[in-house]
Amino acid sequence: VFLSYSASRNNYAVSPIRRSIRAHTITNQTISSTQSHHRSLFAGIQLERTTYKLPNAIEHNLIDWNNIPTEEGTTKDLPIFWHVLKSGGTTIKLMYAQCYHLVEACETGELIDANQNQQEQGQQPQLPPILEGKPQEDHPSPWEWMQQQQQQQQVQVDANPDQQRRLETQQKNQLRVVLSEDGRKYVNVDTSTPEGILKASQLGFASSHLADVMFTPLLSESAELLLDANSLGRMFALFRHPVERVISIFYYLQGATWEPTYNPEYAQWTIDDYARSPYCESNWMVRSLTNKMTGPLSGDDILVAKEVLRRKCLVGLMEGMDESITRFHSFFRFGDEDALKCSREQFANKGAGTNSHSHPTLDQTSETWAILAQKNTLDIRLYEYAQELFEEQGKWLKKQKLI
């Protein structure tokens, strides 16, 4: 996943995703919070009684989370992990690949596919490093490797027009499952960018049923283009306090030289400089869920984002990683007890994350924290709501004997 940090004033969010093609216009379906489904599950968590909208694709192509999976039916439900950057998603991604041996759709498969095509053409392939739960000292993490490989691939394309033609030919290939050096399995697509999602759609990703789980930060685009009435999605996600997440993003950017939007000035900045700058991220979660990456946000937008989580998302928390992993395991029935044991031992500790990095902490009483909190007010409200949902969903799952 590439992080893109373009200027953002008071009414503009900084999206952590390259949005190089125009976002698809999504029609909306009006719903009312007084409808019967509001009374069906969370009597203790009531949204304001008003009318608001859900994106049509999210409404129709994502199953309500408490619709328990069954073995019957004609649809092939696909678990979709909404990857909120710097919230433990990279850890979950590696966990399902290594402990559960699932076929994943993310960004890795397209890179492996390109390397295997290079190998077939007699070029030296560059495969991801072998990992055992944590990055080895002599190798970059999978995240860093993916960034470096995409940057190198673009340099090769710029220097060699024939390489561009070969890559265009590769894009016409059919979908398939590819293997990393250590046996991890991926579909040869990239679901982290608009371009990759569009390409996967054109190749028939929805009807292929090759993936066991998909990872994407672009929920609206994925729901619209990669799902349909016969291939519905089940959303789940990990959440982290927005201010802590933004702080982590800043310190990551200070050393992310492989990013195409890398700004060397960040290396000289303090977190206070970043917080006061127009580049600081602002309410990315709410903007992403409402498909409003620019322009002002309103009170209705936070209601839409809350409703998406309340109805569609199985919620996990980064500060409750062990419990979250256990819930995901029990709900989706991904693997056996050995897989769960592997996950809890190697990945439940958030400090063992494959994309984690040490950085200074910020005093929550400081002026800088207050500035970051003000710029992410709606995301904080959504995060606090996710915490409430985590508690309510836990009670419901226990009642249903799912955990």
Side-chain angles (χ1 to χ4, degrees), residues 159-299:
N160 187 356
D162 291 337
Q163 175 75 357
Q164 176 64 54
R165 286 192 291 270
R166 284 194 294 269
L167 289 174
E168 291 174 352
T169 300
Q170 292 169 13
Q171 291 178 353
K172 298 178 182 179
N173 293 341
Q174 294 182 346
L175 293 174
R176 64 190 181 102
V177 175
V178 295
L179 299 179
S180 69
E181 188 179 42
D182 60 347
R184 286 175 278 136
K185 296 175 287 188
Y186 302 93
V187 182
N188 60 333
V189 295
D190 179 359
T191 55
S192 70
T193 65
E195 300 97 326
I197 290 171
L198 180 60
K199 173 188 170 184
S201 175
Q202 294 170 342
L203 292 175
F205 178 85
S207 60
S208 72
H209 304 309
L210 289 176
D212 296 316
V213 60
M214 181 172 80
F215 295 82
T216 182
L218 303 177
L219 185 67
S220 294
E221 290 90 335
S222 296
E224 183 180 11
L225 294 176
L226 300 182
L227 301 172
D228 57 33
N230 295 316
S231 302
L232 300 175
R234 290 184 176 275
M235 177 187 176
F236 67 120
L238 281 175
F239 295 89
R240 181 185 187 183
H241 192 286
V243 174
E244 294 179 351
R245 191 177 71 80
V246 171
I247 292 170
S248 182
I249 285 176
F250 164 70
Y251 285 109
Y252 164 76
L253 285 174
Q254 284 193 315
T257 56
W258 52 85
E259 293 287 355
T261 53
Y262 170 72
N263 186 343
E265 292 183 9
Y266 289 151
Q268 308 301 321
W269 282 13
T270 65
I271 184 62
D272 187 69
D273 294 330
Y274 178 70
R276 297 173 186 276
S277 77
Y279 300 97
C280 181
E281 184 175 300
S282 174
N283 294 314
W284 181 85
M285 290 195 298
V286 172
R287 291 184 177 279
S288 180
L289 290 176
T290 58
N291 205 31
K292 293 178 65 173
M293 298 312 296
T294 61
L297 294 172
S298 68

Side-chain angles (χ1 to χ4, degrees), residues 76-102:
K76 171 69 173 178
D77 302 340
L78 176 65
I80 297 179
F81 185 89
W82 182 43
H83 191 170
V84 181
L85 301 184
K86 292 300 176 183
S87 298
T90 303
T91 297
I92 295 295
K93 192 182 302 179
L94 188 59
M95 179 190 78
Y96 283 135
Q98 289 193 179
C99 294
Y100 290 82
H101 309 293
L102 300 183

Side-chain angles (χ1 to χ4, degrees), residues 5 8 24 48 71 128 171 272 274 280 284 291 307 395:
Y5 284 78
S8 65
H24 298 277
E48 292 84 344
E71 298 297 332
Q171 291 178 353
D272 187 69
Y274 178 70
C280 181
W284 181 85
N291 205 31
E307 181 70 352
K395 296 175 183 177

Side-chain angles (χ1 to χ4, degrees), residues 48-90:
E48 292 84 344
R49 289 181 174 271
T50 186
T51 299
Y52 48 95
K53 300 177 180 179
L54 287 186
N56 188 57
I58 289 178
E59 171 69 32
H60 293 290
N61 292 344
L62 291 179
I63 301 171
D64 285 3
W65 81 269
N66 60 320
N67 186 340
I68 301 175
T70 64
E71 298 297 332
E72 301 176 356
T74 58
T75 62
K76 171 69 173 178
D77 302 340
L78 176 65
I80 297 179
F81 185 89
W82 182 43
H83 191 170
V84 181
L85 301 184
K86 292 300 176 183
S87 298
T90 303

